[in-house]
Amino acid sequence: MSARRTALLACAALLTGLLPLTAAGAAAGADEPAPVPVDTFEGEVPFANPPAEGLFPWGGDADDPPRLALTARDDAPQGAKVLTGGYDISGYGGFTHDFAFDRPARDWSAHKGIRFWWEGRDNGKRISFEIKDGGANGEASELWTTSFTDDFTGWKQIEIPFTDFTYRTDYQPVGGIDQVLGLTGMWGYALTLPTGVKGDFAMDGVELYGKGAQSLRASVVTDAAVHTVKEGAAADVRISVATTGSVPIDEPVTVAYETAGGTAEAGTDYTRVAGELTFPAGTASGTSRTVRVPTLKDRSAESAETVPLKLTVTGARAPAENPQVVIDAHGLPYLDAKLPVKKRVADLVSRLSLEEKAGQMTQAERGALGTPGDIAAYDLGSLLSGGGSTPTPNVPEAWSRMIDAFQLRARATRFQIPLIYGVDAVHGHNNLFGATVMPHNIGIGATRDPRLAERTGEVTAAEVRATGVPWDFAPCLCVTRDERWGRSYESFGEDPALVKSMETVIQGLQGARDGRDLKDDDRVLATAKHYVGDGGTGYGSSATGSYTIDQGVTKVTRQELEAVHLAPFKTAVDRGVGTVMPSYSSLDIIGDDAGPVKMHADAEMINGVLKDRMGFDGFVISDWAAIDQIPGDYASDVRTSVNAGLDMIMVPYEYKNFRTTLVDEVKAGRISERRVDDAVSRILAQKFRLGLFEKPYADTSGASKIGSSAHRAVARQAAAESQVLLKNAGGVLPLKKSQKVYVAGSNADDLGNQTGGWTITWQGASGKITDGTTVLQGMRKAAPGARIDYSQDASAPTDGYDVGVVVVGETPYAEGVGDVGNGNDLELTAADKAAVDKVCGAMKCVVLTVSGRPQLIGDRLGDIDALVASWLPGTEGDGVADVLYGKRAFTGQLPVTWPKSEAQLPINVGDASYDPQFPYGWGLTTLTKVPGGGSAALRALALVAAKAERLGADEAGRAAVTKARLLVQQRIGTRLTPATAKPFADADHLLLTGRYKEAVARLTTAYKSA
């Protein structure tokens, strides 16, 4: 113990001794319970994740979770140690103390509040403090929140009465548990640390203090914050009293009510009401009374009007906000569903204030809402769930109730413009537990099956819309040109012709090209992203954190830009895609001397090319906080992006600042009102097409189909068709059900690994993160009764087996976190290499690589009998088993070139120098008789292909080229050389562009060179 601390404690003891006994007793509270420690940070609570009890950090990405430690400090307010930590948070981050899930929750109801020691840094930052009440456990509880400001230096005891906490509506169990801070079933607490500043903290002595009063134990609640009613009808507001533990109240509770304020006029729009409700002592918890607010009918068309009901509560906690009655807008042209969309848009835009227009251009992350009332207060046009931003529990009912609650808030605005809610459903409704998860786009590209791509879009749309979400930030139409890119798997492939062919997924999502199907309960608005060139960024060009290639610079000639990166977006516009999202990356066009330009600031490409030349009539939505990357201050970011053509800005945490700044820029003349009107018109047009004005709330009639067998059958087919057979020496595949199979490898029995990133959370995770079937489980279902043994690390004895199956590859990642050089490479792990070596050294073996991009096999290829590029097949491992056991034929083809080494990257079809391990388009088959006849057969197929091309008979042309490809593959075998690989790859590109005669000619060249 230091001399300083000893002196401080001695002084405190002396002062206490000098106080009169009455004063000391009064200070402590003679009838108050003694403080109850929650955390002393002496090591009694470990650092551990749920379901165990423990302290654990969390954050929006890999860099956001703070670093926690128990540190011995001489100045510790209590004990010898304090909790310390460092942080540098770009998104969100903090730490939690969760109590053990397998033990009873704790009862805090006897106490007044919670307090703790905090070492101030005087940084002026607000720190959120939450407690977890009710529910099944600490991760499925109600969250109640408050905050304190670090505006002091040194240790200070922060006392927070439980009455200061408010209910968090944005991240809750289904409909809340009871939305009453019960305090009898507490599961812990959490702190959210400041963002955008690097710092450290110290904390000590978390404890419960004081005695709870009835005003804490009892609460008055209303059935809803907003009550909508048609003009002339009456609104019934239900007011209830609820208590901790549902016990009767022991003192009377009174609620005085009166209609006061609002935009409606008493006597003209409604009948004024006032009075008092009394809940006597002994009233049961949950007892309700109803206040009726009559509205009056006139003959004039009007916007919506509000009638707040002011509540004054005695003897209990008052509701967090007064309820308000909203008289629905009526009689205005924009509300007439029979009018053309263009007329409805024009009418509504003409009525909006600048502030309301700015609100429509603003999109906030649902978890960042200060209060639900901000939706109406800031006239927000849109909310989104970022990757992993889900209600608790993460089930369909929770999604629809959450979104309906947000839509109800939008009804309290003047013109009751519905929100448009968006999610990243990039391979199924991947944020939702139990949804059908498709292969990632790279696997869909491998299927070469446009109709199947469309069906995957249909399933995704149906499951997304059934949870109340009308907008999907998909598909990604990037053309991946360098597999070091962490987003490679979001691309359909390296060939723009392949990407264009897979854009049938847009019709799967949206339906008809003219948008007439968007109002249906199984369609969603699609988003073509990321415009333009994000797949072409140069390695080492990224300036974002530790990223090496993602969000970097795409340096191309105008010809390359048009042919490779713009072409898929022209197809998307022709298909009627409703929204487009620019890329984080920059575009540097060789020869124009402009240098790199951030895509969110590129007026030439957005206004000039996308909107004017291509004729895109949907709206442009920014990527997550992407305008912050534009050089300049925030006002400059706003005006530059909006003037460049962005219509709605995704400002997850800055929605208030953005809206205010946008209004200021327009008033200053730096953004024209015409530009704003254009943006808002584009947004409203899509809301009208989606039918949101008529049906703003979730249509859950399709919810029973989420994760259904019919939907999973589509995903299973997609998984099967995505498997690319690269090598099959001795016909080891398909497997026979009678064979004894030894299974090994890190990805054989890991659902999280085979679904990849963007699954349940942004980065994804290993393990059973959702419902589905692993590859191993699929194999055992495909061959019931067969001996199929599993040893992940191949440590089990290998004697007595007919064949080995080793499933290896990557663990999940998303975006630049997965960039090669950012802690990643294209090599198998040491454990996977060892498993391959052991199994393939002991028996015939099949190796599957479950990954988002090619894996470098190198010298091991000669020891592997069969090699399968399994990509990221999604939740249906049965589909992988279908081709392994011959229920379906292998038909997949490489959507990207498979390199021999990382030094070859970037390597793509069409390159002048082309010497890959396997060429673009390569893919062996099973269960299909390969055509014979050699050169003579190729000559005959060339004639068929030429005739098909001349007559426009695409099916016949594709069939001719496919037969020629299979014939040539068989001829080449394992003797791939640059002379065979280049024409082979070129042929697949020619096939996709409809040049069937030339494709067969290139295959003939490959045949002759073999």
Side-chain angles (χ1 to χ4, degrees):
M1 184 181 292
S2 71
R4 178 180 173 223
R5 183 172 178 229
T6 303
L8 286 171
L9 293 177
C11 289
L14 178 61
L15 288 171
T16 303
L18 293 174
L19 287 172
L21 289 177
T22 53
D31 59 347
E32 289 189 358
V36 174
V38 178
D39 272 325
T40 63
F41 302 120
E42 299 301 306
E44 79 285 3
V45 176
F47 294 114
N49 290 317
E53 177 168 8
L55 294 156
F56 63 94
W58 40 264
D61 59 33
D63 297 328
D64 283 350
R67 302 173 300 281
L68 302 180
L70 299 177
T71 304
R73 291 269 295 263
D74 290 341
D75 63 343
Q78 295 182 8
K81 295 180 180 179
V82 301
L83 178 68
T84 61
Y87 59 89
D88 186 3
I89 302 168
S90 57
Y92 63 90
F95 62 92
T96 291
H97 178 181
D98 265 0
F99 303 146
F101 289 9
D102 61 352
R103 298 179 187 175
R106 303 185 187 182
D107 187 345
W108 292 359
S109 62
H111 295 273
K112 178 181 180 181
I114 189 167
R115 65 190 181 194
F116 50 90
W117 290 92
W118 187 264
E119 188 177 35
R121 301 292 188 264
D122 197 19
N123 55 24
K125 295 291 184 178
R126 190 177 70 173
I127 298 164
S128 295
F129 189 94
E130 291 180 343
I131 53 178
K132 302 185 170 192
D133 177 58
N137 55 59
E139 297 305 294
S141 60
E142 291 183 344
L143 301 182
W144 291 74
T145 186
T146 187
S147 65
F148 65 95
T149 302
D150 188 339
D151 56 2
F152 54 92
T153 302
W155 288 108
K156 178 180 178 180
Q157 192 171 41
I158 307 294
E159 289 195 346
I160 306 176
F162 290 127
T163 51
D164 284 0
F165 287 90
T166 58
Y167 177 75
R168 267 191 66 179
T169 59
D170 59 314
Y171 195 89
Q172 298 297 338
V174 176
I177 295 168
D178 56 14
Q179 299 185 22
V180 175
L181 183 55
L183 297 172
T184 58
M186 302 303 297
W187 290 102
Y189 66 86
L191 280 87
T192 301
L193 296 166
T195 60
V197 60
K198 189 173 183 178
D200 56 74
F201 70 91
M203 180 182 185
D204 200 14
V206 184
E207 64 183 17
L208 309 176
Y209 74 95
K211 179 183 178 181
Q214 175 166 295
S215 61
L216 171 63
R217 300 192 303 275
S219 300
V220 168
V221 296
T222 61
D223 54 336
V226 176
H227 296 74
T228 60
V229 63
K230 293 187 181 301
E231 185 188 52
D236 290 330
V237 181
R238 192 167 71 249
I239 300 172
S240 308
V241 64
T243 62
T244 296
S246 298
V247 298
I249 58 176
D250 51 18
E251 300 172 20
V253 173
T254 61
V255 182
Y257 61 88
E258 62 173 323
T259 49
T263 58
E265 184 178 343
T268 300
D269 299 310
Y270 70 97
T271 301
R272 188 188 301 276
V273 297
E276 185 174 273
L277 304 174
T278 300
F279 298 89
T283 298
S285 178
T287 300
S288 299
R289 304 277 192 273
T290 299
V291 174
R292 171 161 286 194
V293 180
T295 68
L296 303 174
K297 191 174 182 64
D298 59 33
R299 295 185 177 181
S300 57
E302 294 175 298
S303 59
E305 297 171 307
T306 58
V307 187
L309 186 64
K310 181 181 177 182
L311 304 181
T312 304
V313 178
T314 305
R317 182 202 297 234
E321 58 184 309
N322 287 318
Q324 59 179 325
V325 174
V326 178
I327 305 170
D328 286 337
H330 56 278
L332 300 173
Y334 78 89
L335 294 170
D336 186 352
K338 295 179 181 178
L339 288 177
V341 166
K342 190 173 182 179
K343 287 189 176 182
R344 297 179 76 182
V345 168
D347 177 67
L348 182 50
V349 171
S350 72
R351 299 175 186 278
L352 297 177
S353 68
L354 174 59
E355 288 74 16
E356 288 167 326
K357 293 173 184 176
Q360 285 302 302
M361 295 173 67
T362 306
Q363 183 184 63
E365 156 62 31
R366 59 117 214 168
L369 282 178
T371 68
D374 281 355
I375 292 171
Y378 295 91
D379 300 291
L380 296 181
S382 181
L383 294 178
L384 82 149
S385 281
S389 178
T390 64
T392 306
N394 185 8
V395 297
E397 183 184 13
W399 278 88
S400 58
R401 288 191 181 184
M402 175 185 72
I403 293 169
D404 282 355
F406 292 142
Q407 290 288 19
L408 180 62
R409 294 293 186 150
R411 303 295 290 172
T413 58
R414 244 194 344 152
F415 297 104
Q416 299 182 306
I417 302 173
L419 295 164
I420 180 170
Y421 200 99
V423 298
D424 284 284
V426 298
H427 61 141
H429 197 356
N430 43 256
N431 283 313
L432 172 64
F433 184 93
T436 307
V437 178
M438 303 291 170
H440 270 293
N441 282 357
I442 195 74
I444 300 297
T447 71
R448 296 299 201 281
D449 189 338
R451 174 57 190 140
L452 180 58
E454 184 173 354
R455 291 178 66 201
T456 65
E458 290 170 350
V459 170
T460 299
E463 296 199 1
V464 169
R465 195 68 181 257
T467 59
V469 178
W471 185 14
D472 184 3
F473 304 133
C476 183
L477 302 183
C478 52
V479 182
T480 179
R481 306 293 283 177
D482 189 332
E483 278 60 61
R484 290 171 291 190
W485 187 39
R487 301 193 84 141
S488 292
Y489 63 77
E490 293 188 52
S491 172
F492 291 114
E494 70 185 32
D495 183 354
L498 175 58
V499 175
K500 289 168 65 176
S501 73
M502 294 294 110
E503 290 185 50
T504 50
V505 70
I506 294 172
Q507 264 54 67
L509 294 168
Q510 292 193 170
R513 299 183 185 213
D514 62 3
R516 66 178 180 269
D517 297 332
L518 284 172
K519 63 183 182 302
D520 295 348
D521 65 0
D522 59 354
R523 299 294 184 181
V524 294
L525 195 67
T527 306
K529 64 181 188 182
H530 302 91
Y531 183 83
V532 58
D534 58 339
T537 51
Y539 188 77
S541 67
S542 180
T544 301
S546 57
Y547 295 2
T548 57
I549 186 169
D550 188 39
Q551 303 184 21
V553 179
T554 298
K555 191 169 186 176
V556 288
T557 64
R558 285 198 177 271
Q559 183 180 3
E560 289 171 324
L561 176 64
E562 294 284 346
V564 176
H565 299 292
L566 276 172
F569 287 93
K570 178 63 170 71
T571 299
V573 171
D574 292 343
R575 287 185 171 275
V577 73
T579 62
V580 170
M581 180 183 290
S583 172
Y584 280 115
S585 61
S586 300
L587 182 62
D588 186 358
I589 301 176
I590 298 170
D592 69 358
D593 299 324
V597 179
K598 278 286 182 183
M599 276 310 310
H600 281 75
D602 199 329
E604 178 194 354
M605 297 307 300
I606 298 173
N607 284 329
V609 175
L610 178 64
K611 290 183 173 180
D612 294 342
R613 195 185 85 192
M614 292 185 184
F616 174 63
D617 64 357
F619 70 88
V620 178
I621 171 70
S622 87
D623 209 333
W624 180 281
I627 68 168
D628 295 349
Q629 295 188 10
I630 298 172
D633 60 18
Y634 195 70
S636 172
D637 294 346
V638 171
R639 68 174 172 268
T640 299
S641 59
V642 173
N643 285 332
L646 269 68
D647 302 306
M648 181 183 286
I649 315 296
M650 190 186 295
V651 278
Y653 304 100
E654 293 292 329
Y655 60 94
K656 297 178 184 178
N657 188 20
F658 170 77
R659 180 178 178 269
T660 300
T661 304
L662 176 56
V663 168
D664 290 344
E665 289 297 297
V666 176
K667 288 180 177 179
R670 291 184 287 269
I671 298 174
S672 71
E673 288 199 47
R674 183 179 179 183
R675 169 77 272 267
V676 169
D677 285 352
D678 172 62
V680 175
S681 296
R682 290 168 176 270
I683 294 164
L684 292 178
Q686 299 298 0
K687 290 186 177 184
F688 282 121
R689 291 185 183 115
L690 285 163
L692 294 177
F693 281 81
E694 290 69 50
K695 294 175 64 176
Y697 300 116
D699 181 344
T700 59
S701 57
S704 62
K705 297 179 182 178
I706 295 174
S708 65
S709 57
H711 285 184
R712 290 184 182 275
V714 175
R716 179 174 181 166
Q717 180 183 349
E721 291 191 25
S722 72
Q723 305 299 294
V724 180
L725 183 57
L726 300 172
K727 180 182 178 181
N728 192 25
V732 66
L733 288 175
L735 302 173
K736 299 178 179 63
K737 294 181 180 180
S738 59
Q739 288 178 311
K740 300 180 184 68
V741 184
Y742 185 103
V743 182
S746 59
N747 287 349
D749 195 31
D750 195 302
L751 192 64
N753 287 359
Q754 76 184 44
T755 53
W758 290 109
T759 311
I760 307 302
T761 59
W762 174 41
Q763 289 294 315
S766 299
K768 190 184 184 308
I769 60 173
T770 188
D771 290 333
T773 304
T774 66
V775 174
L776 176 64
Q777 290 168 337
M779 291 176 64
R780 286 174 170 164
K781 288 166 66 179
R787 182 180 175 186
I788 301 176
D789 296 329
Y790 176 54
S791 174
Q792 178 174 317
D793 60 358
S795 60
T798 56
D799 297 335
Y801 294 93
D802 300 311
V803 64
V805 175
V806 191
V807 190
V808 295
E810 296 183 308
T811 53
Y813 55 81
E815 299 191 37
V817 176
D819 284 354
V820 167
N822 188 20
N824 300 277
D825 56 38
L826 301 181
E827 298 280 350
L828 300 179
T829 65
D832 277 347
K833 289 177 180 177
V836 170
D837 291 345
K838 182 172 182 181
V839 175
C840 293
M843 65 191 82
K844 289 183 178 180
C845 73
V846 179
V847 173
L848 283 73
T849 60
V850 173
S851 60
R853 52 198 170 188
Q855 301 293 281
L856 301 176
I857 302 301
D859 295 340
R860 286 177 173 78
L861 184 59
D863 299 324
I864 296 170
D865 296 289
L867 178 62
V868 178
S870 198
W871 309 114
L872 298 169
T875 50
E876 308 313 299
D878 287 329
V880 181
D882 285 343
V883 291
L884 289 178
Y885 276 96
K887 184 175 181 178
R888 289 180 180 270
F890 275 95
T891 57
Q893 296 176 247
L894 282 181
V896 293
T897 300
W898 197 282
K900 290 180 177 178
S901 70
E902 193 175 310
Q904 286 186 314
L905 297 175
I907 182 171
N908 295 288
V909 58
D911 287 355
S913 177
Y914 192 72
D915 184 21
Q917 188 93 68
F918 296 102
Y920 169 78
W922 187 265
L924 306 177
T925 190
T926 54
L927 311 182
T928 301
K929 185 177 180 181
V930 177
S935 296
L938 286 172
R939 286 193 294 272
L941 288 169
L943 294 174
V944 172
K947 183 177 181 181
E949 186 175 334
R950 187 171 62 254
L951 297 176
D954 291 332
E955 187 173 344
R958 287 192 294 266
V961 177
T962 298
K963 288 180 180 179
R965 179 178 64 83
L966 295 176
L967 188 158
V968 172
Q969 275 185 159
Q970 187 175 62
R971 164 86 168 191
I972 293 173
T974 58
R975 303 185 306 277
L976 274 162
T977 64
T980 55
K982 181 171 175 53
F984 185 93
D986 291 344
D988 199 62
H989 169 74
L990 293 165
L991 164 65
L992 288 165
T993 55
R995 290 176 285 177
Y996 309 123
K997 176 183 176 182
E998 193 175 349
V1000 174
R1002 294 298 286 156
L1003 287 169
T1004 301
T1005 298
Y1007 182 87
K1008 292 177 179 178
S1009 300

